[in-house]
């Protein structure tokens, strides 16, 4: 007679890396998403042996993934100790978001000054992007909401033709992804973000550089205000070290 598996393991299956990705890239994606969504909590120790077994990979690809996450300040690599998920704090968020606000407002203004024909030719693409984001919000697909949020800003800022500024911003945005994930996890806030994108898009298409910059700055700092204000309601996710 076959002994049934213990409760809790009836539907447990080991994930497998798709053939289209290297194992270290797939492990990086898996762990990064778990950190962004809080499945791996701030301060949590990361056992390489356990994670490698869970993901079905060797420790070599896993170490590569952890190194990438450490470079993004999502993981702290401690010599002769287990790596840990990096802490988050209001102090850190203020630093990152104020830097983002400065750079993103400059990029939004520059994008609004792109050639009229270039801006107009992208109106339909931006409209479709926003519609997809609205659908993702309505479905509660938070991962897709975050992806489309990033795509909107990337598409807009690319038109600024300021690669050095955009590269500097990318470093800050990598550090802010957990805060963005926290903000967009709430459906009402996610809808607010789409509405703000719509206003930014209108200013961009109208060629109003000053309005584009102002709306973008308010968009970024509004997220910071919510994160700071919700500190008492997110004790397991956000801590104030300031």
């Amino acid at each position: 007679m076959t002994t049934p598996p213990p409760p809790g393991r009836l539907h447990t299956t080991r994930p497998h890396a798709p053939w289209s990705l290297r194992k270290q890239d797939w492990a990086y994606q898996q762990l990064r998403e778990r950190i962004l969504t809080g499945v791996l909590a701030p301060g949590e120790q990361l056992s390489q042996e356990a994670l490698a077994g869970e993901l079905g990979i060797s420790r070599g690809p896993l170490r590569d993934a952890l190194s990438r996450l450490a470079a993004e300040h999502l993981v702290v690599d401690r010599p002769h100790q287990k790596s840990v998920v990096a802490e988050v704090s209001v102090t850190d968020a203020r630093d990152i978001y104020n830097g983002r606000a400065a750079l993103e407002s400059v990029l939004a203004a520059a994008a609004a000054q792109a050639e009229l024909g270039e801006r107009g030719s992208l109106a339909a693409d931006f409209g479709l992007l926003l519609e997809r984001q609205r659908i993702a919000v309505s479905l509660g697909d938070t991962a897709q909401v975050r992806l489309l949020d990033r795509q909107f800003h990337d598409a807009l800022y690319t038109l600024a033709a300021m690669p050095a500024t955009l590269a500097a911003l990318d470093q800050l945005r990598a550090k802010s992804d957990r805060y963005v994930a926290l903000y967009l996890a709430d459906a009402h806030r996610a809808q607010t973000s789409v509405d703000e994108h719509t206003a930014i898009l209108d200013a961009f298409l109208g060629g109003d550089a000053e309005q584009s910059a102002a709306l973008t700055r308010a968009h970024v700092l509004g997220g910071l205000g919510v994160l700071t204000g919700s500190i008492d309601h997110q004790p397991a996710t956000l801590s104030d070290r300031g």
Side-chain angles (χ1 to χ4, degrees), residues 101 104-106 108-109 112 196 199-200 203 208-222:
E104 292 191 48
S105 59
V106 169
E196 291 172 353
I200 292 169
D208 191 333
E210 184 176 350
Q211 182 74 342
S212 293
L215 289 173
T216 298
R217 181 177 179 81
H219 176 65
V220 174
L221 293 182

Side-chain angles (χ1 to χ4, degrees), residues 1 4 38 62 73 81 91 103 111 114 116 122 127 140 150-153 165 168 192 199-200 202 204 216 228 230 234:
M1 181 175 180
L62 179 66
H73 303 277
Q81 299 183 65
T91 300
L103 294 177
L116 176 60
L122 295 173
R150 183 62 177 263
Q151 288 180 358
F152 173 83
H153 288 285
T165 303
T192 296
I200 292 169
D202 288 342
F204 159 73
T216 298
T228 302
S230 64
Q234 299 288 344

Side-chain angles (χ1 to χ4, degrees), residues 6-237:
R9 295 183 179 269
L10 291 173
H11 303 290
T12 300
T13 58
R14 176 182 290 177
H16 295 284
W19 290 105
S20 59
L21 282 178
R22 297 183 304 170
K23 289 182 179 179
Q24 56 263 45
D25 295 332
W26 179 77
Y28 162 78
Q29 291 180 2
Q30 292 289 309
L31 295 177
R32 194 175 197 276
E33 184 65 16
R34 294 183 189 187
I35 292 172
L36 293 184
T37 56
V39 174
L40 292 174
E44 183 173 343
Q45 292 189 349
L46 302 175
S47 167
Q48 290 190 20
E49 182 178 1
L51 288 173
E54 182 181 343
L55 296 173
I57 60 175
S58 66
R59 295 177 70 169
L62 179 66
R63 283 194 293 269
D64 287 343
L66 291 174
S67 293
R68 289 178 64 182
L69 293 168
E72 294 183 0
H73 303 277
L74 293 175
V75 165
V76 177
D77 187 10
R78 305 180 300 175
H80 312 300
Q81 299 183 65
K82 290 181 179 179
S83 298
V84 299
V85 178
E87 296 283 357
V88 289
S89 70
V90 171
T91 300
D92 185 47
R94 288 194 187 106
D95 183 13
I96 292 169
Y97 270 71
N98 277 288
R100 279 185 51 198
L103 294 177
E104 292 191 48
S105 59
V106 169
L107 289 165
Q113 296 175 68
E115 292 293 333
L116 176 60
E118 186 176 13
R119 286 185 280 112
S121 68
L122 295 173
D125 291 339
F126 274 110
L128 178 60
L129 193 57
L130 289 181
E131 181 58 27
R132 290 175 59 200
Q133 194 173 8
R134 290 188 188 96
I135 292 172
V137 170
S138 69
L139 295 175
D141 188 344
T142 56
Q144 185 71 354
V145 170
R146 282 190 279 113
L147 174 64
L148 293 168
D149 176 85
R150 183 62 177 263
Q151 288 180 358
F152 173 83
H153 288 285
D154 282 346
L156 184 65
Y157 301 153
T158 297
L159 291 170
M162 299 175 66
T165 303
L166 186 56
L169 173 61
D170 283 342
Q171 294 184 30
L172 287 175
R173 290 201 294 185
K175 295 178 182 179
S176 73
D177 278 347
R178 276 196 293 179
Y179 300 110
V180 173
L182 175 60
Y183 179 83
L184 293 177
D186 179 271
H188 176 72
R189 296 197 298 252
Q191 183 58 55
T192 296
S193 181
V194 178
D195 294 339
E196 291 172 353
H197 285 175
T198 302
I200 292 169
L201 179 59
D202 288 342
F204 159 73
L205 293 175
D208 191 333
E210 184 176 350
Q211 182 74 342
S212 293
L215 289 173
T216 298
R217 181 177 179 81
H219 176 65
V220 174
L221 293 182
L224 173 61
V226 170
L227 290 171
T228 302
S230 64
I231 183 75
D232 293 333
H233 305 290
Q234 299 288 344
T237 310

